[in-house]
Amino acid sequence: MAKRQMDFLESSALLSQYGIQADGRQVYSILDAERAADAFGYPVAVKPVSEKIIHKSDDGTVFLNIKTKSQLQQACASIEEKMGGLSGENREGLLVQKMAEKGFELLIGAKQDPGFGPVTMIGIGGIFVELYCDAAMGIGVLARNDIERMLTKTQAGKVLDGFRGQRYDKEIIINLAVNISKLMAANPDISELDLNPVIVYEEGCAIVDARLIRDENIVKPLAENIKQWKLDSIDAIFNAKSVAVIGASRPGTQGGVILKNCSKISKLYPVHPKLAKIHGLICYPSLKDLPEIPEVGVFAVNSERTVAIFEEFCRMGGKGAIIFSDGFAEMGRKELEEQLVAISETYKVAFIGPNCMGVIDTFTGLNTNYIPEQRSVPVAKPNCVGVISQSGGIGLELLEMFSADNQNLGKWVSIGNAACTGVPELLAHMGNDPKIKIIAIYLEGVADGLKLMKIGREVAKKKPVLIIKGGTGGGAEAALSHTASLAGSHEAFKACCEQAGFYLVEELTEDPKILVNVISILTSQPKTESSRIAVVSVGGGAGILLADQVTEEGMSLAEFAPETRKRMKALIEKNLKPEQQSQSETILRNVGNNPIDLFGNCNDERLLESIRIIDKDPNTDVIVAAIYLQVPLLSEYLPERLVELKEELTKPLIISPRGFSEYVDRCRKYMADKKLHTYTVPMMKPLSIAIKIWKKYGHSFLD
């Protein structure tokens, strides 16, 4: 059955089961419309009840503030003509309503999302709802605190809170939204729902228009639990003591690169039917010829052989697999991928892939990346960061970004087609691993949204989960309601992140670098739980730009204490040249304001001492220093001295070297090698996210 709009009688009957009263009376003749208007009392409104007319305002079929019987007759006749007649048998009629008094217009709506199930939305309503796009969403059956959180994300919430002293019945709106979420969860065949406008008053509200769309073909998503045997297999992969590389080959081939990259595994077995040795290791013609049953199998052979050998591996007692091989669902061969999944389910052996770059585990030395180190980056030393990527390319980009910033990684996974092991399973594994303190994820599609949200909520209680999401744009399916046109799949995903406690990085061009910089700040700086920022600059322009970014990202510029201002003025004054003494009052007038300009004649001592002074300021939480390392009076030893200074400081020091010369690059590399990371752009967005994470978790993530 295709989607269809329910009429007023059907809609109001269902809404009433959840304590929701829609205003009006559905009639099938002009005479009955007159009787309804007499019963309500003029003025009234009249509109069509018809599957043929979805967007009534756009079609000019909504008549408001009708004050006389003759006006009503004219309006009804106009609607009847556009409908092609009224019919009680077909339930094609008119809706007559008492004209609602003016108030604040809201939209409360909902839709069934294919990945997350029922999604409820609240925001500014009325005829300009798509223009304002002021809406926030929540997934599943919502509680009062969920609706309150959603309202804080909207302009509608500010109005309900009493903007400019105007009072509205916020409580009735919260209850209405909660009941809509319950209705949608209990009735998965209701694909779209609009209450628009809901006119809210100082006391009570009026539901002026209710639009419900029924679609009996909807498949309700399920929040499956993660199977324990899958977690056991993933644990085995990340604790690999013996690994067989099926398809290992000579240097220069993909199988050869994978084998070489896995060389830190003590029990490493190349499997190739024709070669005797590879990289100095004895090569075995098949799995049955190995001296022991390998715990982990890495597959780099064609898809048909992968299926056959994977079953043999499982039957022998292997514990987990990484299937690098392609030629499965991504090339239209879904049946081969389904065979892998069936084998996995039969033998209770999970695999990562197929069509993936697999795993880098810096704790055990497992590295199935098929890119040679000389073309990419060497494996980092172990640290507390875990990375999960749905894209091999973005995963590689993140890996190289970390290396470029001299940052380490703990675990890195490219999941490929995720036929057996998806993001939720790997998130659960890293959530349970005490060695991993921060998790970063790159997502494109979300096939198992409820599972991701369920697992994510538990993991995010213990450690931060940062997400960048690809595929946020693109076309949308035609929608019959305002809600469906606003609540696309990305909006539902944002609601998932809010409810699970994820940190979603949304910038479409800089997002990988923002994510890397968040992790860099967390793992290299002492924690702070407040966001009063001091900006120091050698040259005023950079300081002003950074100060603007501070406030744009919701942080505040520190108001320095009187003692700090006094010390800063004394520092600048003692460096004034004799000819400047007569102008000292003018020069010192703005010293001690934030941002602080140390002037172009700044030397090492002035810069370092100003940072020391600010570090002791009671009103400052973070120091941001914009430094033109190229200026003549700053010495070549400044990077070394900044590294030493950081050891003295109690507060985070975020250094922004300005410019891109070779000299600046050398200085940045020196400082990064000494664990003093520096940032060109972006830095303020990452800093704001890092402060939120410190505040939520209350502890340091120093590497």
Side-chain angles (χ1 to χ4, degrees):
M1 185 177 184
K3 285 184 181 181
R4 70 174 184 87
Q5 179 172 313
M6 297 166 61
D7 66 26
F8 178 78
L9 293 176
E10 289 179 287
S11 300
S12 59
L14 179 57
L15 289 168
S16 67
Q17 295 178 29
Y18 295 87
I20 302 167
Q21 184 63 49
D23 297 334
R25 183 183 298 176
Q26 184 170 327
V27 298
Y28 302 102
S29 71
I30 295 177
L31 180 60
D32 284 340
E34 293 172 8
R35 290 170 178 160
D38 288 337
F40 291 140
Y42 288 94
V44 297
V46 64
K47 58 191 74 170
V49 178
S50 172
E51 290 187 33
K52 302 170 189 171
I53 302 177
I54 302 299
H55 299 292
K56 296 182 279 289
S57 295
D58 294 347
D59 289 326
T61 54
V62 176
F63 294 86
L64 305 176
N65 205 29
I66 297 171
K67 297 178 180 178
T68 66
K69 183 177 290 188
S70 62
Q71 288 178 347
L72 177 64
Q73 290 170 344
Q74 290 175 16
C76 292
S78 175
I79 295 172
E80 182 178 12
E81 183 180 352
K82 289 197 176 184
M83 288 175 60
L86 305 176
S87 170
E89 183 180 350
N90 297 325
R91 299 176 79 154
E92 294 274 310
L94 304 166
L95 177 63
V96 182
Q97 297 171 303
K98 175 69 178 174
M99 189 66 196
E101 295 180 9
K102 289 186 177 181
F104 179 49
E105 295 187 353
L106 290 170
L107 163 68
I108 299 177
K111 63 168 282 190
Q112 301 290 348
D113 184 86
F116 295 101
V119 178
T120 301
M121 183 176 80
I122 187 167
I124 290 177
I127 61 173
F128 299 122
V129 60
E130 282 92 356
L131 176 64
Y132 291 129
C133 290
D134 176 67
M137 275 143 271
I139 294 170
V141 176
L142 302 174
R144 176 191 176 85
N145 64 310
D146 293 314
I147 306 300
E148 289 179 328
R149 173 186 52 77
M150 289 159 59
L151 285 170
T152 64
K153 306 290 183 182
T154 66
Q155 299 299 319
K158 294 177 182 178
V159 175
L160 290 177
D161 283 337
F163 183 71
R164 292 193 171 177
Q166 181 64 53
R167 294 182 59 192
Y168 293 107
D169 195 340
K170 184 177 178 180
E171 192 66 29
I172 200 167
I173 294 302
I174 291 173
N175 291 336
L176 179 56
V178 167
N179 289 337
I180 287 296
S181 75
K182 292 177 180 177
L183 182 157
M184 294 297 291
N187 298 274
D189 60 319
I190 305 301
S191 63
E192 303 172 29
L193 179 152
D194 267 357
L195 305 182
N196 180 46
V198 176
I199 303 179
V200 59
Y201 307 111
E202 190 169 328
E203 290 186 9
C205 69
I207 299 173
V208 174
D209 199 4
R211 180 182 303 164
L212 279 71
I213 310 298
R214 173 163 275 153
D215 184 355
E216 294 178 357
N217 294 324
I218 282 181
V219 178
K220 183 179 179 180
L222 299 175
E224 296 180 356
N225 292 321
I226 292 180
K227 297 170 182 176
Q228 186 57 48
W229 62 266
K230 286 192 178 183
L231 289 178
D232 292 342
S233 278
I234 296 169
D235 288 345
I237 290 170
F238 283 102
N239 290 285
K241 295 180 177 62
S242 57
V243 175
V245 179
I246 298 98
S249 192
R250 292 187 173 92
T253 63
Q254 290 176 338
V257 173
I258 292 171
L259 182 68
K260 184 177 181 180
N261 285 344
C262 287
S263 60
K264 292 181 181 178
I265 299 294
S266 57
K267 295 182 177 180
L268 182 61
Y269 302 117
V271 176
H272 191 287
K274 297 180 180 178
L275 299 177
K277 275 193 173 185
I278 309 174
H279 292 305
L281 297 172
I282 296 173
C283 192
Y284 300 88
S286 67
L287 288 177
K288 68 178 183 294
D289 298 306
L290 296 177
E292 63 176 318
I293 298 169
E295 292 183 348
V296 176
V298 179
F299 290 78
V301 292
N302 68 46
S303 51
E304 287 83 0
R305 291 187 63 207
T306 293
V307 172
I309 301 173
F310 176 62
E311 183 166 18
E312 181 185 359
F313 170 79
C314 293
R315 195 166 51 243
M316 289 173 61
K319 294 181 178 179
I322 300 163
I323 301 180
F324 162 78
S325 315
D326 59 9
F328 291 91
E330 82 284 355
M331 292 187 178
R333 306 188 70 184
K334 191 175 180 181
E335 76 287 349
L336 278 180
E337 197 162 294
E338 289 172 346
Q339 289 179 44
L340 282 178
V341 173
I343 294 166
S344 171
E345 293 278 351
T346 299
Y347 292 96
K348 303 295 184 284
V349 177
F351 61 87
I352 294 171
N355 184 38
C356 73
M357 295 171 73
V359 168
I360 297 175
D361 184 343
T362 58
F363 302 104
T364 65
L366 181 63
N367 178 1
T368 66
N369 188 354
Y370 73 93
I371 307 294
E373 282 192 359
Q374 63 268 28
R375 290 196 176 189
S376 182
V377 294
V379 175
K381 296 177 182 177
N383 85 339
C384 65
V385 179
V387 175
I388 305 167
S389 179
Q390 278 188 334
S391 161
I394 296 295
L396 180 65
E397 187 177 340
L398 287 169
L399 191 66
E400 293 182 354
M401 279 185 177
F402 273 87
S403 179
D405 282 3
N406 284 68
Q407 294 182 58
N408 297 326
L409 278 172
K411 296 181 176 182
W412 176 96
V413 190
S414 156
I415 64 174
N417 295 2
C420 170
T421 304
V423 171
E425 286 81 7
L426 290 161
L427 180 59
H429 166 79
M430 292 189 185
N432 290 329
D433 186 345
K435 301 187 297 297
I436 299 299
K437 298 178 184 176
I438 304 170
I439 302 168
I441 302 174
Y442 172 75
L443 276 174
E444 289 175 349
V446 184
D448 40 16
L450 290 179
K451 186 196 292 187
L452 174 67
M453 194 165 81
K454 181 179 180 182
I455 298 303
R457 186 180 282 120
E458 294 305 311
V459 174
K461 289 176 183 176
K462 302 180 287 185
K463 55 189 74 173
V465 179
L466 295 99
I467 293 183
I468 49 177
K469 173 78 167 62
T472 60
E477 186 179 330
L480 299 180
S481 67
H482 297 292
T483 300
S485 67
L486 292 174
S489 59
H490 183 59
E491 285 70 27
F493 180 74
K494 288 165 68 174
C496 162
C497 292
E498 284 278 348
Q499 288 175 250
F502 300 150
Y503 294 89
L504 177 62
V505 179
E506 293 190 78
E507 279 73 4
L508 299 181
T509 55
E510 294 281 4
D511 46 9
K513 185 59 177 170
I514 288 173
L515 185 144
V516 169
N517 284 356
V518 172
I519 292 170
S520 169
I521 291 169
L522 288 174
T523 56
S524 65
Q525 298 287 348
K527 78 175 178 71
T528 182
E529 296 180 13
S530 296
S531 55
R532 298 169 299 177
I533 313 299
V535 178
V536 183
S537 68
V538 179
I544 291 170
L545 287 174
L546 290 175
D548 289 343
Q549 292 168 31
V550 166
T551 55
E552 284 172 9
E553 293 299 336
M555 300 177 288
S556 60
L557 290 169
E559 295 270 351
F560 297 130
E563 180 61 25
T564 303
R565 292 173 178 270
K566 181 179 176 182
R567 293 182 65 192
M568 284 301 306
K569 286 189 176 183
L571 174 66
I572 299 298
E573 189 172 22
K574 76 177 183 181
N575 284 292
L576 291 179
K577 296 177 181 179
E579 61 270 22
Q580 295 174 319
Q581 293 295 331
S582 62
Q583 298 177 309
S584 63
E585 185 176 340
T586 302
I587 293 171
L588 298 175
R589 183 178 300 148
N590 293 321
V591 171
N593 292 342
N594 191 8
I596 297 171
D597 182 3
L598 296 176
F599 307 119
N601 64 352
C602 179
N603 58 19
D604 291 10
E605 293 303 329
R606 186 190 300 176
L607 173 61
L608 298 172
E609 186 58 25
S610 67
I611 293 173
R612 290 189 185 98
I613 291 170
I614 297 168
D615 188 57
K616 292 181 168 52
D617 179 68
N619 300 334
T620 296
D621 303 304
V622 180
I623 306 165
V624 175
I627 307 172
Y628 287 95
L629 293 160
Q630 308 93 317
V631 300
L633 295 182
L634 293 179
S635 78
E636 293 184 4
Y637 299 100
L638 180 59
E640 187 174 344
R641 300 183 73 182
L642 286 167
V643 169
E644 292 175 352
L645 175 67
K646 185 174 181 294
E647 299 302 312
E648 302 176 25
L649 302 179
T650 61
K651 296 169 182 171
L653 172 62
I654 308 298
I655 295 179
S656 173
R658 314 303 290 188
F660 298 90
S661 67
E662 288 186 13
Y663 175 70
V664 172
D665 286 344
R666 287 199 305 273
C667 292
R668 292 189 70 208
K669 185 177 187 313
Y670 173 84
M671 288 187 279
D673 287 341
K674 303 295 183 182
K675 295 297 181 185
L676 177 55
H677 296 288
T678 62
Y679 307 90
T680 51
V681 289
M683 74 194 78
M684 290 307 173
K685 178 79 169 184
L687 177 60
S688 69
I689 296 173
I691 290 172
K692 290 173 186 174
I693 290 172
W694 278 318
K695 186 173 183 178
K696 177 178 178 179
Y697 294 95
H699 61 79
S700 170
F701 299 90
L702 286 172
D703 183 11

